[in-house]
Amino acid sequence: MPKTTVTTPIALAPLAPLPPSWVDALVGPSPSVSLTDALDGTVEVRTGPDFTHVAITIPQAHTLPPDRLHEHVRDAYLSVAATLNAQQRHPVRFWNFVPHIHTPSGADLDRYMIFNGGRFAACEHWHGSPNDFDHTLAAASGVGVLGEALAIHCLAADDAGEPVENPRQVPAYKYSRRYGPRPPCFARATRLARQVNGAWWLLVAGTASICGELTVHAGDVEGQTVETLDNLDALLAAAEDKRGASDARARFSSLRVYIVRPDDLGVVRDRIAARYGEIPDIEFAQSELCRADLLVEIEGIAEL
């Protein structure tokens, strides 16, 4: 992955519905590209020597009624599955960008919960019983974006990655109905099966101030940032234990940081720097998160 120069952000830009730039680097400079119309939207597939990037855009998703949103998300994930099955590649990371993510969509439901219902239905069809989710699901992020389109991006590899869970948290796919009729289907991280640039990569999912399954430090951005960093450290430790590594500690080489309130940028940035020092590639963006009481979320790449 090319090194980037870290600059001090002057303002927090709104999040674009795209995965981090390192995805392009993995796919390669001259992938084969196919673009098709489907799902009342578009499906773009970029295939490189070792990785595939599937991008699905559903326009005007913000106006879809709950049942149609559920169907579109289910069908989008099944389209990803069909594409990867044809290529004999395996999903290792998802990014989901949901417009109007907190808009009410029925009794005690919001649009993220409807999204989760569609994703769960697809994952059951794709991976089998929820009892199999512990070894089949890939890491993912799910955040809110401005605009009207829903975007789903999937990074896939020749070999299935190894899911890693955080011992401080309930696996997301086992959440109670407190967070919707169907839980979000993703692993806390995916360890790639092959080295990249001479290192084992851990693709870390969107991580926030959640202990067990509950949000902690509501309203306190510094407390939430520290809790999030504690969760990241616990996840790295769990990945190290699974690998049996004892000679070196995992370290982050890339981070993307989602922040709800622009005025919180300085606090979040300072806490990250105090914990991890200089990180070669770090991006800050303003975004709504999957829960209205969360203020910061962090994802990235760690080298084991």
Side-chain angles (χ1 to χ4, degrees):
M1 185 177 65
K3 300 297 185 183
T4 59
T5 301
V6 179
T7 57
T8 302
I10 299 173
L12 195 62
L15 176 68
L18 296 168
S21 60
W22 56 260
V23 171
D24 289 336
L26 284 184
V27 174
S30 301
S32 71
V33 179
S34 68
L35 185 65
T36 58
D37 294 327
L39 310 163
D40 297 327
T42 59
V43 181
E44 181 180 30
V45 182
R46 298 188 305 121
T47 304
D50 301 305
F51 293 91
T52 295
H53 172 203
V54 183
I56 296 183
T57 303
I58 303 171
Q60 304 298 317
H62 71 303
T63 63
L64 291 172
D67 58 338
R68 293 290 291 151
L69 178 61
H70 178 282
E71 292 173 2
H72 275 63
V73 172
R74 179 200 63 202
D75 292 348
Y77 265 79
L78 291 178
S79 178
V80 173
T83 297
L84 299 186
N85 287 340
Q87 293 190 354
Q88 295 186 320
R89 284 187 165 171
H90 305 268
V92 293
R93 185 66 163 86
F94 283 92
W95 290 264
N96 304 285
F97 302 100
V98 184
H100 298 230
I101 193 168
H102 297 308
T103 297
S105 297
D108 298 320
L109 299 176
D110 62 22
R111 294 185 77 75
Y112 181 64
M113 294 175 183
I114 303 300
F115 172 91
N116 283 333
R119 175 167 57 174
F120 187 95
C123 286
E124 275 194 308
H125 183 85
W126 188 356
H127 301 299
S129 163
N131 293 330
D132 296 319
F133 286 176
D134 63 342
H135 60 274
T136 57
L137 294 180
S141 302
V143 297
V145 288
L146 300 175
E148 302 171 348
L150 187 150
I152 298 170
H153 296 264
C154 176
L155 177 68
D158 285 335
D159 302 291
E162 180 183 18
V164 180
E165 291 297 326
N166 182 348
R168 302 181 81 239
Q169 297 178 312
V170 173
Y173 53 87
K174 292 185 177 181
Y175 280 176
S176 69
R177 294 178 67 88
R178 175 195 299 266
Y179 299 105
R182 293 298 190 187
C185 292
F186 67 92
R188 300 294 182 187
T190 302
R191 177 181 174 271
L192 295 186
R194 300 185 188 182
Q195 289 188 339
V196 178
N197 299 330
W200 294 107
W201 276 22
L202 185 74
L203 306 183
V204 176
T207 303
S209 182
I210 295 171
C211 193
E213 67 171 14
L214 303 177
T215 300
V216 293
H217 309 292
D220 175 5
V221 69
E222 183 168 14
Q224 287 203 7
T225 304
V226 171
E227 190 76 30
T228 300
L229 297 174
D230 289 345
N231 277 329
L232 291 173
D233 287 346
L235 187 57
L236 296 191
E240 289 171 334
D241 288 344
K242 292 191 76 167
R243 190 171 68 95
S246 59
D247 55 339
R249 282 188 55 80
R251 60 186 179 86
F252 281 105
S253 58
S254 177
L255 288 180
R256 173 182 273 188
V257 185
Y258 305 100
I259 300 174
V260 174
R261 306 182 305 202
D263 289 347
D264 291 338
L265 171 60
V267 171
V268 175
R269 184 185 56 203
D270 290 349
R271 297 306 303 179
I272 293 172
R275 181 73 63 100
Y276 297 134
E278 183 176 333
I279 293 175
D281 177 26
I282 187 165
E283 172 191 3
F284 295 88
Q286 183 181 8
S287 174
E288 290 186 310
L289 303 181
C290 61
R291 300 182 188 179
D293 54 5
L294 290 175
L295 300 174
V296 61
E297 181 173 315
I298 303 174
E299 64 176 61
I301 300 169
E303 296 181 359
L304 301 175

